Amino acid sequence: MAIDIRTLATTNLVVQLVLIALVLGAVYLARRGRVTRHCIIVRGAVVVQVITIFAVMLPSLLGYIENVPPIPFLYPELLIHHILGLVLIAIFVYVNLEVGRVIPPLIKRKTAMRTALVVWLITIVLGINIYLTLYYG
C-alpha cells in the first residue's frame, strides 16, 4: 500500500511541529540549568530531523527540481528552506564537536545555539509556508 504525497507531507509537518516544540522545551530546560536534559532532547530532535531530511524532504526537493510547479517564488523558497536546514545541521555538528573538545571554540557556544534556534524557527516557518502553498494554495 503506497502513501500518497499529501499524507506523507502532512505527517512530516506534524513531526516538524513536534520537533520544534521539543526544541523550545529544551531551551526552557537549558535556561533552568538542566543542560544535560537539554542536550539529550536536542540531539534526539536532530537525529529525527536528519532522518526526515533523507526520507522525505530531500526526495521531495529533487522531485520539485525536476518538475518545478508554476508557483511564483516556490523554487527559491524551497532552496532557501533546504539550505537553512543544512546550516542548522552544520551548527549542530559544530556545537557537538566544540562541546566534545574535538575542535577549539570559534564563537561563543551560546551564540551558536541561539543562532541554531533562530535558523530552526525560520526554517519551520518557511516549511509551513511551502506546505500551505503546495497543498492549500
Side-chain angles (χ1 to χ4, degrees):
M1 180 169 106
I3 293 179
D4 71 284
I5 190 72
R6 188 175 187 164
T7 302
L8 185 61
T10 302
T11 302
N12 184 53
L13 177 61
V14 170
V15 169
Q16 298 308 314
L17 293 173
V18 168
L19 290 177
I20 200 67
L22 285 170
V23 167
L24 292 172
V27 169
Y28 173 81
L29 290 173
R31 289 180 174 253
R32 298 289 179 258
R34 302 179 88 178
V35 177
T36 302
R37 284 192 183 192
H38 164 84
C39 292
I40 290 169
I41 291 169
V42 171
R43 285 180 179 146
V46 171
V47 167
V48 173
Q49 186 66 26
V50 169
I51 291 168
T52 63
I53 287 169
F54 284 107
V56 179
M57 290 184 250
L58 181 61
S60 292
L61 175 65
L62 295 175
Y64 288 122
I65 287 173
E66 289 179 9
N67 302 301
V68 179
I71 301 170
F73 306 111
L74 177 66
Y75 188 70
E77 189 174 8
L78 283 167
L79 290 179
I80 291 167
H81 171 75
H82 283 79
I83 289 167
L84 287 175
L86 294 174
V87 167
L88 178 64
I89 300 301
I91 294 169
F92 172 79
V93 169
Y94 163 76
V95 169
N96 277 275
L97 291 174
E98 190 263 317
V99 166
R101 301 183 200 284
V102 175
I103 61 172
L106 303 172
I107 59 173
K108 291 182 179 181
R109 188 180 307 159
K110 192 177 270 190
T111 300
M113 291 189 288
R114 286 181 177 163
T115 302
L117 178 61
V118 169
V119 169
W120 204 324
L121 290 171
I122 293 168
T123 305
I124 189 104
V125 168
L126 286 172
I128 291 168
N129 188 60
I130 291 166
Y131 174 85
L132 293 174
T133 300
L134 289 172
Y135 299 106
Y136 295 99

